[in-house]
Amino acid sequence: MSNLSPFSAIADPNRRYLLEELRRAPKTVNELAEGLPISRPAVSQHLKALLDSNLVSVSPNGTKRIYHINKPGLDAVNLWLDQFWA
C-alpha cells in the first residue's frame, strides 16, 4: 500500500469529483465512471489513489466492489485545516 498524502490525492480534479459523488452515496466503479470523460480503468486508478490516501474505503457486495467515503481519513484532513481557523 502506498502512503499517498490526502492533499496530493485531492489535488486532481477527477479525484475531487469522485469524492463529491461518493459523498452523495456509495457507488461502484461503473457508476462513478458514468460521470467522467475518462475510461473505467482510469477511474479505478484514481480510486486506488484515494484508497491509498485513506480518503475512500471499499467493501465487497457479491461480485461488485462498493466505494464509499472513509470518514476517519477525511476527519484527519479536516483537523489539519481547522488549525487555520482556530
Side-chain angles (χ1 to χ4, degrees), residues 4 12 14-15 17-18 22 27-34 36-53 56-58 64-67:
L4 182 65
D12 184 281
N14 291 316
R15 294 181 194 146
Y17 173 85
L18 293 172
L22 293 172
K27 296 185 178 183
T28 65
V29 174
N30 289 334
E31 291 169 330
L32 290 165
E34 290 172 5
L36 287 168
I38 58 176
S39 68
R40 198 201 66 72
V43 171
S44 291
Q45 291 215 335
H46 284 299
L47 286 168
K48 182 179 180 335
L50 292 170
L51 282 164
D52 289 349
S53 63
V56 168
S57 298
V58 63
K64 296 179 180 178
R65 292 168 48 94
I66 309 297
Y67 291 86

Side-chain angles (χ1 to χ4, degrees), residues 3-20:
N3 216 359
L4 182 65
S5 154
F7 296 102
S8 295
I10 61 175
D12 184 281
N14 291 316
R15 294 181 194 146
R16 289 194 304 272
Y17 173 85
L18 293 172
L19 286 172
E20 290 168 11

